[in-house]
Amino acid sequence: TPTLVLVSDGQPTDAADSAIRALLASERGKRAARLALAIGDDADVEMLRRFVANPLRFTEMAAKPAVLCTLTI
């Protein structure tokens, strides 16, 4: 199974909607497990939701955010 992971703040700088539509119309995009990781407190979760394979599960997880790791630079 193809797997696509989008790591983003959900604030595109290009035509993301048309790219997502093209992905979802493709055979590989239809079969892919699509995951999104929101970056930043002001991430556009609605935009990322359009990318994921299972929006219901995305909503459940977004409602209960957890700290998975801490990165110190």
Side-chain angles (χ1 to χ4, degrees):
T1 301
T3 302
L4 302 170
V5 180
L6 176 63
V7 179
S8 175
D9 63 2
Q11 300 173 16
T13 58
D14 58 6
D17 285 328
S18 61
I20 290 173
R21 281 193 301 274
L23 172 69
L24 297 179
S26 72
E27 286 304 314
R28 180 167 260 182
K30 289 177 189 175
R31 290 191 330 248
R34 295 182 311 277
L35 311 169
L37 176 61
I39 301 297
D41 292 335
D42 61 344
D44 185 347
V45 176
E46 293 304 316
M47 178 57 160
L48 298 174
R49 181 184 312 228
R50 291 194 292 265
F51 175 83
V52 298
N54 187 340
L56 178 60
R57 182 71 180 142
F58 182 84
T59 301
E60 292 169 3
M61 293 176 72
K64 300 176 185 176
V67 175
L68 299 178
C69 65
T70 301
L71 175 63
T72 304
I73 299 176

